[in-house]
Amino acid sequence: MEDLSQSGSAYAKSEGTVEVIRYNISIYDIPFSKLPDPKRVWLGSPSSALEGLGRLSLLTPEVVSAAAASEIKTGRRVGLNWNMKKLEYSQFGRQSCSHKVIPIPGPGGIGLGACFDDVYEMNPQQSSQWDGFRHYSQPLHTNEPSTSKDRVYYGGTTKEEIMDSSNHRIGIQHWTSEGIAGRGILLDYHRWASSQSPPIKYSCFSTHAVSFESILAMCRAENVTPRKGDILFIRTGMMPEWETFTEQQKKEYAAQEEAEHAGVEASIELLEWLWDSGITAVAGDAISWEVFPTPGEVSMHEYLLGGWGMPIGEVFDLEALSKICAELKRYSFFLTSIPLNMPGGVSSPPNAMAIF
């Protein structure tokens, strides 16, 4: 494989049985079709801050400043975190959120009940969350199938490193020094699909896929042109549908061996568009963001998390955002998000807000 170190774009070396090229941010100037390995674009040296940021390194001060200047006009704000106890029955045996209010003694011997603390027990994956780079791996060799048991995480991080509590490589703490801030764009698939003739009907708890063609059509309908550094949101309408479920239906959903989730299609065409558009992170209200189970050989999680260091946001509450965008006829906004500063963290509530 070509060593690009002379151009300042990358350096290559052998790590075990895998030859690895590690890039710097200039790799983003290369189109998807020209990448040496489009499934593996690892920035920085192992355990470096650049590696920990991954594609968030596109959010330079210049990009963020331009986004703030173009998007913050009215001061209207909307939070994007779902109620932490709404997805009370979750897949994969994930722990539901538990919240306890604890009385503590007040000052001067006042006694219990003069002050309160609270205690949270939670799995961020059970509600609105960013998937960090420790969440999902890819095959050790990128030409191997997704079912390969020999796997690595972003940057070549191993499961042994992640299981080592003293090793914080590619942990979510790298995102917190500056947070995630920039221009957000919403593609409101639920609203767009219902406006088609005939309407596109689907369940968010099925293998319905948001096609790449639909994504392009929504960009045209909403007058949205992606810019480098944009954070892309796609709304499927999962939350209103979840609210129609009975408690028994929710329990049956959680008990399925392999639940079905609607989401974006997993395709090379979509990946090329994301890369060449300069999208820095993706998110949505869907439980898996991409359609699940993933058909075929392309896994967006493998490419985005394991290959590019691109955050994936899931179960974001986009209902109020959808209404404001429709009211203003404007589908771009300024986004702020500060994940938890947890060394070695795998995922985090987004603490996200859109500002118009």
Side-chain angles (χ1 to χ4, degrees):
M1 191 174 288
E2 181 184 6
D3 183 346
L4 303 176
S5 58
Q6 296 304 312
S7 67
S9 295
Y11 66 87
K13 71 174 185 176
S14 176
E15 296 187 356
T17 60
V18 181
E19 187 175 36
V20 176
I21 289 187
R22 299 190 186 279
Y23 303 91
N24 64 33
I25 194 172
S26 64
I27 190 66
Y28 296 136
D29 296 328
I30 298 177
F32 182 89
S33 62
K34 302 295 184 182
L35 292 173
D37 184 352
K39 195 173 183 179
R40 184 162 291 172
V41 182
W42 291 346
L43 296 191
S45 58
S47 299
S48 66
L50 180 57
E51 180 189 61
L53 284 176
R55 201 161 167 89
L56 290 177
S57 56
L58 280 168
L59 294 175
T60 63
E62 294 76 17
V63 167
V64 176
S65 176
S70 67
E71 301 304 320
I72 301 178
K73 301 296 184 184
T74 70
R76 291 182 69 177
R77 307 177 302 280
V78 58
L80 306 181
N81 284 34
W82 200 24
N83 181 316
M84 293 175 67
K85 301 192 77 172
K86 281 289 188 180
L87 195 63
E88 59 270 57
Y89 300 105
S90 185
Q91 271 276 302
F92 308 113
R94 285 171 170 151
Q95 176 181 337
S96 297
C97 180
S98 171
H99 175 231
K100 296 179 181 179
V101 176
I102 308 295
I104 61 173
I110 294 175
L112 289 176
C115 305
F116 290 94
D117 283 354
D118 51 10
V119 176
Y120 293 88
E121 294 181 1
M122 57 177 288
N123 179 342
Q125 295 285 336
Q126 185 264 344
S127 188
S128 305
Q129 35 75 29
W130 285 114
D131 285 349
F133 307 153
R134 288 178 155 222
H135 177 60
Y136 209 90
S137 60
Q138 62 171 229
L140 180 63
H141 302 279
T142 55
N143 61 351
E144 294 175 340
S146 294
T147 54
S148 171
K149 294 184 179 180
D150 294 322
R151 303 178 70 85
V152 289
Y153 293 77
Y154 183 69
T157 307
T158 66
K159 65 180 179 181
E160 288 77 19
E161 288 177 286
I162 292 176
M163 294 294 291
D164 177 359
S165 61
S166 67
N167 190 321
H168 303 151
R169 185 179 178 187
I170 64 168
I172 209 160
Q173 79 278 0
H174 288 287
W175 304 1
T176 60
S177 60
E178 295 183 337
I180 300 172
R183 181 180 183 247
I185 54 176
L186 173 67
L187 299 183
D188 196 337
Y189 182 72
H190 189 263
R191 190 179 295 273
W192 176 84
S194 64
S195 72
Q196 300 305 292
S197 182
I200 301 172
K201 297 182 179 181
Y202 63 94
S203 169
C204 291
F205 299 90
S206 72
T207 55
H208 178 80
V210 179
S211 69
F212 177 50
E213 290 76 15
S214 296
I215 287 172
L216 296 182
M218 284 186 284
C219 287
R220 293 190 294 268
E222 297 175 1
N223 194 28
V224 168
T225 301
R227 303 175 188 166
K228 180 180 286 189
D230 279 0
I231 300 99
L232 169 67
F233 290 84
I234 296 179
R235 173 178 173 255
T236 62
M238 185 279 287
M239 286 154 192
E241 185 173 352
W242 179 257
E243 297 285 6
T244 69
F245 283 16
T246 66
E247 185 170 1
Q248 182 60 32
Q249 286 175 311
K250 292 176 181 179
K251 290 180 178 178
E252 291 172 355
Y253 156 78
Q256 295 176 76
E257 289 188 7
E258 193 167 72
E260 295 179 346
H261 303 146
V264 301
E265 73 170 17
S267 70
I268 295 297
E269 291 77 14
L270 177 55
L271 286 163
E272 182 170 11
W273 181 80
L274 291 172
W275 178 275
D276 291 346
S277 297
I279 301 297
T280 192
V282 295
D285 58 352
I287 292 175
S288 305
W289 195 72
E290 65 181 303
V291 63
F292 182 85
T294 304
E297 291 300 317
V298 177
S299 163
M300 303 298 280
H301 275 60
E302 286 187 1
Y303 271 85
L304 302 188
L305 292 176
W308 298 358
M310 175 187 280
I312 297 177
E314 296 162 338
V315 202
F316 277 54
D317 186 352
L318 305 181
E319 293 307 298
L321 180 68
S322 167
K323 292 176 183 177
I324 292 177
C325 286
E327 174 191 339
L328 299 178
K329 295 181 174 58
R330 175 183 158 196
Y331 287 83
S332 63
F333 45 88
F334 190 77
L335 177 83
T336 67
S337 173
I338 292 287
L340 298 178
N341 192 353
M342 176 54 68
V346 172
S347 61
S348 172
N351 302 310
M353 176 173 64
I355 310 174
F356 288 84

